[in-house]
Amino acid sequence: MAKQNTPKNRSTAGKRNSTKRYYTYRKVDKSTRPAQIKQAESVRVAFLGGMNEIGKNMTVYEYGNDMFIVDCGLAFPGAELLGVDSVIPDFTYIEKNIGRIKGLVVTHGHEDHIGGIPYLLKNFNIPIYATRLTIGLIKGKLEEHKLLEGAKLNEINPKDKIMLGSFTVEFIHVNHSIPDSVGLAISTPAGTVIHTGDFKIDTTPVDGDMIDLPTFAKYGTKGVLALFQDSTNSERPGYTMSEKTVGESFLNLFRKAGGRRIVVATFASNIHRIQQIIDVAKALKRKVAVVGRSLENLVEVGSELGYLKVPRNILISIDNINDYPDDKLVIITTGSQGEPMSALTKIAHGEHRKVTASPNDYVIISATPIPGNERMVGNVVNELMKRGVEVVYENMYDVHVSGHACQEELKLMMGIIKPKYFVPVHGEQKHLQKHAALAQSMGIVKNNIFVGDIGSHIEISESGLKELAKVESGEVYVDGIGVGDVGNIVLSDRKHLSADGIIIIVATIDSESGMIVSGPDIVSRGFVYVRENEELIDAAKGLASQVIYDTYSTKYHDWNTIKTHLRDEISHMMYEKTKRSPMILPIIMEI
């Protein structure tokens, strides 16, 4: 019986074991399945500015339900934006997600990174995190816009770390053309992202504090998910020269000026450059006067915070320059980019109230024209030379070095950071494409490189980089105190007026009889000189009268029809006779 039972027991045991093994297998399968289908954690990034353009830098980083902003700058308008003072990013995406925004982190104090902040804070009181000088410059802007009271300004130092929701952000010192510039190491559960901000590698910086390469390398050793790197100088081979070379050039040029008055135009935000001009002026026993509101503000803030070391009694008011001989004066001015309303442009055209150009002036333009500004700078140089002024400009001497990294520095940063994914930022299309090619030369796979545009929205994880649907973005024009009230239609009208001028037709009609009791009068501005074209104006008056009588009805007053017919008929006549198409503006009154 035992022998008979053994196989049966074995068989039953075998079935039990089989069933048990099967059950255990299924249990393991269920527990591991979620891990197999679970998506990798990701960081999302939206570009609201600084892509495919110079300036207006603004980037939004997102993880889970948390978001924060890096920089909020402006761009200066091109010649086609008639009358526009500045261009800022479209904040629609911020408005839609304001409940998720944990703060605004600012990399440095240049206008293309802080210029849009007052317009952002008018609508959203977001906490701001920046270094000491950057906070000082932001305060000046907020005070001007009456926004300083209540602003949440947080001063940080390089190597500090802050928590913004799921983000840990470390501030890393970099060299640039303004002190207190930082790059960012942004850590999330999905990985670490490096945002360099504007930078260069200067081994002999004027302030003596070299870029913190060891910290960048530390993150590179740990592993960096993605690198977002400044592309401004990606077309330039080699290395960017040290700012100290400019100081040596200033000394030589100031001596060359002899007994002439020296005028130096530079970027208002370049404290290092201003410090070197003051140092050389002191060595040659010259007084220094500052012209331009932004420059005056920077000198005041920089001196108060200790970033500018100004010897006693060297600075004088621009009102007192006539009290000193030319060989004892240096004037520092804005306008190195030929901006129409800048001090240097006004001096060149003889329109400045306090400084008059003369053949005894020696002008140094200590800046390289930003792409697109070459013509404006050339016009200023030409106007100065017409007045007998000697001008030192562009690359004639080492009077300017860039604050941005050239190709070898960009490659060096890529090499020590070793990112899995690479995104070039801060530049026009040609800069971004060149930078992308550099990244490929450093071994970064083409599919791991993203060249974006304003409004681009990307998602990055260990498993891949993909482009999402674009976010709301674009340009908002600031004109005087108006923000966004100048759009394409207004700009189109301005272009039309600038090209062909305007004709205004004014007439008064008796509502009972339908008779014209006054006019039609023709007013021309920017089209033809009325006194020399009386025949044309008389013909326009006759045609206007005919159109009014043909279309006016005492029973039903359709003003739109009358004005439309006037515009069409007068425009057609003017084009036939002059081959020009002025704007036609009818003004019809009824009594």
Side-chain angles (χ1 to χ4, degrees):
M1 291 291 294
K3 288 182 182 178
Q4 290 176 350
N5 289 335
T6 301
K8 183 178 179 182
N9 290 340
R10 269 186 199 151
S11 174
T12 305
K15 285 180 181 178
R16 278 200 205 103
N17 289 343
S18 175
T19 303
K20 189 175 182 180
R21 283 197 298 272
Y22 175 77
Y23 177 76
T24 304
Y25 170 77
R26 294 290 296 171
K27 190 174 182 180
V28 171
D29 181 55
K30 286 182 178 178
S31 66
T32 58
R33 190 179 300 168
Q36 291 172 350
I37 65 173
K38 182 180 178 181
Q39 292 184 348
E41 293 183 288
S42 61
V43 178
R44 296 179 303 283
V45 187
F47 302 99
L48 302 185
M51 296 287 267
N52 247 325
E53 63 180 352
I54 300 292
K56 197 162 66 66
N57 299 293
M58 190 174 190
T59 308
V60 180
Y61 286 91
E62 311 170 28
Y63 176 83
N65 201 42
D66 298 326
M67 302 169 68
F68 79 97
I69 307 166
V70 174
D71 295 329
C72 181
L74 58 75
F76 294 105
E80 73 282 359
L81 297 180
L82 300 169
V84 174
D85 297 322
S86 57
V87 184
I88 61 174
D90 184 342
F91 299 139
T92 302
Y93 189 64
I94 303 300
E95 183 179 2
K96 288 186 175 181
N97 294 279
I98 190 60
R100 302 168 59 196
I101 303 288
K102 304 303 179 184
L104 166 63
V105 175
V106 185
T107 58
H108 64 282
H110 280 159
E111 285 292 312
D112 58 335
H113 293 257
I114 68 170
I117 291 177
Y119 305 101
L120 180 68
L121 261 60
K122 282 179 182 178
N123 300 308
F124 320 108
N125 193 11
I126 299 171
I128 297 175
Y129 302 86
T131 50
R132 189 165 176 241
L133 176 61
T134 307
I135 288 287
L137 296 173
I138 292 171
K139 280 183 177 178
K141 289 190 165 295
L142 297 183
E143 191 170 17
E144 184 181 337
H145 287 260
K146 297 181 174 55
L147 294 169
L148 184 56
E149 186 177 350
K152 303 170 185 175
L153 302 178
N154 302 277
E155 184 180 307
I156 54 89
N157 297 303
K159 297 198 174 187
D160 284 354
K161 292 182 180 180
I162 60 171
M163 297 287 293
L164 298 173
S166 304
F167 297 97
T168 301
V169 182
E170 180 174 0
F171 296 79
I172 308 172
H173 171 72
V174 299
N175 298 131
H176 190 40
S177 53
I178 187 170
D180 267 8
S181 298
V182 292
L184 308 171
I186 304 163
S187 298
T188 74
T192 298
V193 172
I194 300 291
H195 184 109
T196 65
D198 290 355
F199 82 99
K200 69 175 182 179
I201 299 174
D202 193 342
T203 55
T204 57
V206 173
D207 59 9
D209 198 1
M210 187 180 162
I211 183 173
D212 187 2
L213 291 176
T215 298
F216 284 112
K218 176 191 74 176
Y219 279 101
T221 301
K222 290 180 179 179
V224 172
L225 181 65
L227 170 62
F228 295 75
Q229 187 166 255
D230 172 25
S231 305
T232 309
N233 274 356
S234 60
E235 294 181 301
R236 299 185 183 181
Y239 298 85
T240 302
M241 288 192 300
S242 172
E243 182 69 27
K244 279 197 173 179
T245 60
V246 177
E248 298 166 3
S249 295
F250 276 143
L251 184 59
N252 294 331
L253 289 170
F254 279 27
R255 285 173 175 161
K256 184 180 177 183
R260 289 175 287 181
R261 182 176 67 176
I262 299 170
V263 179
V264 184
T266 188
F267 288 112
S269 56
N270 197 333
I271 287 186
H272 296 148
R273 192 73 44 85
I274 295 164
Q275 182 68 67
Q276 292 188 96
I277 295 168
I278 290 172
D279 291 344
V280 175
K282 178 191 175 185
L284 298 180
K285 298 181 179 173
R286 287 181 181 252
K287 299 290 186 182
V288 177
V290 176
V291 188
R293 187 178 64 177
S294 56
L295 193 53
E296 292 167 7
N297 179 59
L298 186 84
V299 170
E300 181 181 350
V301 173
S303 301
E304 286 178 2
L305 298 179
Y307 292 92
L308 259 182
K309 295 174 176 58
V310 182
R312 289 185 61 189
N313 302 322
I314 193 170
L315 282 180
I316 63 170
S317 169
I318 194 65
D319 297 318
N320 300 329
I321 59 173
N322 293 327
D323 298 338
Y324 296 87
D326 288 349
D327 64 347
K328 296 298 179 183
L329 269 178
V330 174
I331 298 174
I332 308 175
T333 178
T334 56
S336 61
Q337 296 302 306
E339 303 95 321
M341 300 304 294
S342 67
L344 184 64
T345 300
K346 291 180 179 179
I347 293 169
H349 288 87
E351 297 170 355
H352 200 279
R353 291 179 298 169
K354 298 175 181 178
V355 183
T356 303
S358 76
N360 205 43
D361 283 336
Y362 187 71
V363 175
I364 303 168
I365 300 180
S366 182
T368 300
I370 292 171
N373 289 356
E374 295 87 353
R375 187 172 181 179
M376 290 192 295
V377 175
N379 289 339
V380 171
V381 171
N382 289 334
E383 289 298 322
L384 288 168
M385 288 183 171
K386 286 177 186 177
R387 297 174 184 275
V389 178
E390 183 177 351
V391 184
V392 177
Y393 63 98
E394 291 190 16
N395 297 322
M396 291 169 56
Y397 300 88
D398 293 331
V399 294
H400 174 70
V401 298
S402 176
H404 301 270
C406 289
Q407 289 180 357
E408 295 305 313
E409 296 155 272
L410 296 173
K411 288 159 66 177
L412 177 58
M413 284 290 275
M414 290 181 210
I416 64 174
I417 292 173
K418 300 185 283 290
K420 182 172 184 178
Y421 302 102
F422 179 75
V423 182
V425 295
H426 303 175
E428 297 174 356
Q429 185 67 200
K430 60 181 180 178
H431 303 122
L432 303 180
Q433 293 287 356
K434 192 69 174 180
H435 205 173
L438 279 179
Q440 285 189 66
S441 74
M442 291 296 293
I444 300 176
V445 181
K446 186 176 181 180
N447 289 340
N448 287 3
I449 300 171
F450 177 77
V451 176
D453 200 351
I454 297 174
S456 290
H457 194 198
I458 59 174
E459 184 175 57
I460 308 173
S461 68
E462 284 293 343
S463 61
L465 183 157
K466 65 178 180 179
E467 186 172 7
L468 307 175
K470 286 200 169 189
V471 302
E472 299 89 339
S473 62
E475 298 179 333
V476 174
Y477 303 131
V478 179
D479 190 351
I481 62 172
V483 180
D485 56 351
V486 173
N488 291 332
I489 294 175
V490 174
L491 287 174
S492 177
D493 286 346
R494 290 180 180 180
K495 290 173 185 176
H496 193 175
L497 288 167
S498 69
D500 296 306
I502 185 172
I503 288 177
I504 303 172
I505 306 164
V506 185
T508 304
I509 302 173
D510 187 321
S511 60
E512 293 184 1
S513 65
M515 300 296 292
I516 298 173
V517 296
S518 176
D521 293 322
I522 304 293
V523 180
S524 171
R525 291 290 183 271
F527 174 57
V528 294
Y529 185 47
V530 173
R531 290 183 182 179
E532 294 180 357
N533 292 272
E534 291 182 359
E535 186 178 334
L536 178 65
I537 298 302
D538 288 341
K541 288 180 180 179
L543 179 59
S545 297
Q546 181 183 335
V547 171
I548 291 171
Y549 283 130
D550 289 346
T551 55
Y552 183 80
S553 169
T554 56
K555 294 181 180 179
Y556 178 70
H557 304 165
D558 188 353
W559 299 113
N560 287 334
T561 300
I562 297 171
K563 290 179 180 181
T564 299
H565 276 76
L566 277 173
R567 274 193 293 266
D568 291 345
E569 294 297 329
I570 297 297
S571 179
H572 180 72
M573 187 194 98
M574 290 302 175
Y575 187 78
E576 286 293 318
K577 293 183 177 296
T578 67
K579 298 303 178 188
R580 284 180 278 172
S581 300
M583 181 179 287
I584 310 296
L585 181 62
I587 301 175
I588 308 297
M589 295 172 286
E590 187 182 43
I591 58 173

